[in-house]
Amino acid sequence: MRRSRRSFFDVLAGGRSDAGHDTGLWIAARGREDAQAQAAQGSAVAARPALPPGVKAIRISSNENPLGPGKAALDAIVRKFPEAGRYPFNSTPADSALVTAIATKFGAKNENVVLGAGSQEILKSAVRAFTSPTRGLVTAAPSFENCPQFTKKLGHPVTEIKVDAALRLDLEAMAAAAKGAGLIFLNNPNNPTATVHGSKAVSDFVQKVRAASPDTVILIDEAYHDYVTDPSYESAIPLALQTPNVFVARTFSKAYGMAGLRVGYAIGQAATIKPMAQLKMPYNVSVFGVAAALAAFADTKHMEAERARNAEVRAFTVKALDDLGCKSSDSQGNFLFVETGRPADAFRDACAAQGIMVGRPFPPLEKTHARISLGTMEEMKKATAVFRSVLRPVTTTAGK
Ligand SMILES: Cc1ncc(COP(=O)(O)O)c(C=O)c1O
């Protein structure tokens, strides 16, 4: 039977799950990830461990928000379907409304904001704009790999500074390596180690680098900003707006639950972010992304609830792993970096055999640590039961 456009939208908007989401969308978002994602994404996904037939995955491998967008954002997406035929600048509100909303939230002007198709577009543009064969990238190891991978692809030098004993960015060593660099990637909180530096440490770092190497651009990636509970932390956005050659990257992919919609942005002084505006793909953020991001920004109550939900799940999971003798670093994100004492790929494969998809190996700590993203409480209860069986100490009968 052919469905009319109206009834199609009615179906999308009809029926609520008990979580308050539109059921049609909820079904679309959950439960079909594996077969469809693997078919759609090809080789990158094919490298992931296969699930046993009939086992439904709990996907805690990519630091996604397990609940997806909040209700206001979902409703905004549904309302936008009739405008799917419009370019984002012709939609109402247009993509510039999102730029204005972001600028207003941070007391800035539109010229201080560049949108990206996720913050990865921003990160890539920064590598393109600020590194060269003679001015390389300085980053941490392990940290989010997008910038070093792309810099290496361009054949530009990369200096990787190992995290310290507490798995925090070694800011002193990074500052010392910064002289003459094109770009520094400072991920705060740092993925995958989940640790943060407080605002004073970050502003001292910026001052030190600016004094020694004023032409070096500092990219502070705050993808997990909304999940931080450490009171010493503050966003570096005010610092970036006051300081040349410093900018912050943010994303709607994490706490806002919109990883599939691909919305991120850079914010900083206009002259600093201009090269990224020039490299930006035209119409890089969809009408759905714009509508959802605007609605999500306005829904501050939902963000508070999401932050509290994550903190509760985080405390539960840290304790469950601690009880197994596996210590986590001080997590300030929606994921843990855990010392399992065994290779990350072996741990990942053993968990996948029971339907629990955890993170990939992160060199140089791939022999001892695993990254576990946080799902819902129900998911983490199931996951920690699997961790208990996988991480059970090997008992030996020798000598008995
Ligand atoms: C630190 C960090 N930055 C940026 C991103 C990219 O996010 P997106 O491109 O989805 O905005 C991620 C994703 O995992 C991340 O962990």
Side-chain angles (χ1 to χ4, degrees):
M1 189 188 79
R2 205 178 134 78
R3 236 186 229 295
S4 70
R5 277 164 63 91
R6 165 140 306 283
S7 71
F8 170 68
F9 295 125
D10 286 348
V11 167
L12 281 177
R16 307 255 149 196
S17 73
D18 50 12
H21 293 85
D22 292 328
T23 312
L25 296 175
W26 189 244
I27 290 164
R30 303 295 312 259
R32 301 188 316 185
E33 296 94 337
D34 301 314
Q36 290 194 343
Q38 297 208 10
Q41 291 182 28
S43 59
V45 176
R48 292 178 186 164
L51 277 175
V55 173
K56 192 174 174 303
I58 290 180
R59 189 172 292 286
I60 44 175
S61 51
S62 305
N63 299 352
E64 295 153 338
N65 177 334
L67 298 176
K71 183 180 169 325
L74 277 179
D75 288 349
I77 295 166
V78 171
R79 280 196 302 271
K80 274 291 142 189
F81 271 97
E83 286 188 69
R86 297 283 167 209
Y87 281 109
F89 62 84
N90 274 336
S91 175
T92 41
D95 51 356
S96 58
L98 179 57
V99 172
T100 303
I102 294 167
T104 306
K105 186 178 170 97
F106 298 111
K109 297 191 180 131
N110 284 19
E111 65 187 22
N112 300 117
V113 176
V114 177
L115 296 180
S119 54
Q120 291 192 60
E121 184 188 352
I122 300 295
L123 269 49
K124 276 198 152 173
S125 297
V127 167
R128 232 187 254 274
F130 304 125
T131 70
S132 72
T134 54
R135 296 178 65 82
L137 171 81
V138 174
T139 187
S143 191
F144 189 56
E145 305 103 324
N146 181 294
C147 283
Q149 277 173 357
F150 190 52
T151 309
K152 286 175 194 169
K153 221 178 244 180
L154 295 179
H156 301 169
V158 174
T159 304
E160 291 172 295
I161 306 290
K162 195 175 173 196
V163 293
D164 69 14
L167 303 182
R168 287 156 35 115
L169 301 183
D170 185 341
L171 292 183
E172 212 169 299
M174 287 176 80
K179 197 164 171 45
L183 180 66
I184 302 181
F185 180 68
L186 189 95
N187 192 193
N188 200 39
N190 184 46
N191 176 16
T193 61
T195 53
V196 288
H197 278 288
S199 58
K200 178 156 187 337
V202 173
S203 59
D204 288 352
F205 172 84
V206 166
Q207 254 187 17
K208 209 185 276 184
V209 173
R210 298 264 318 131
S213 193
D215 293 337
T216 299
V217 173
I218 305 172
L219 188 183
I220 303 175
D221 181 333
E222 295 183 350
Y224 300 94
H225 163 86
D226 295 288
Y227 286 128
V228 178
T229 48
D230 181 335
S232 76
Y233 167 87
E234 272 170 38
S235 171
I237 289 178
L239 178 68
L241 289 168
Q242 286 163 19
T243 317
N245 283 346
V246 179
F247 73 94
V248 170
R250 288 276 189 96
T251 180
F252 284 87
S253 294
K254 305 300 175 181
Y256 287 100
M258 291 165 40
L261 285 168
R262 316 302 306 129
V263 189
Y265 57 95
I267 180 162
Q269 292 194 346
T272 307
I273 62 168
K274 193 171 172 200
M276 286 171 293
Q278 285 167 339
L279 288 168
K280 179 171 104 52
M281 193 175 65
Y283 328 134
N284 56 351
V285 176
S286 72
V287 294
F288 304 111
V290 169
L294 279 168
F297 243 179
D299 192 1
T300 51
K301 269 204 177 127
H302 177 76
M303 181 52 70
E304 281 308 311
E306 169 56 18
R307 192 204 304 271
R309 183 200 67 76
N310 182 72
E312 190 188 357
V313 175
R314 188 166 68 192
F316 166 82
T317 312
V318 167
K319 172 150 190 338
L321 285 156
D322 218 46
D323 290 347
L324 294 169
C326 297
K327 296 271 175 236
S328 306
S329 60
D330 178 13
S331 172
Q332 296 294 317
N334 63 340
F335 56 96
L336 306 182
F337 200 56
V338 188
E339 186 165 10
T340 59
R342 66 201 70 204
D345 51 1
F347 175 67
R348 178 188 62 178
D349 293 350
C351 292
Q354 298 189 61
I356 306 297
M357 313 297 273
V358 301
R360 61 192 181 278
F362 288 95
L365 298 174
E366 78 280 15
K367 297 274 187 287
T368 48
H369 288 71
R371 192 190 69 186
I372 298 168
S373 308
L374 298 168
T376 63
M377 185 64 94
E378 195 190 337
E379 286 175 331
M380 297 320 288
K381 283 182 179 163
K382 289 181 186 156
T384 48
V386 169
F387 299 155
R388 218 163 282 132
S389 74
V390 168
L391 294 171
R392 193 182 301 133
V394 179
T395 49
T396 168
T397 52
K400 283 194 177 169

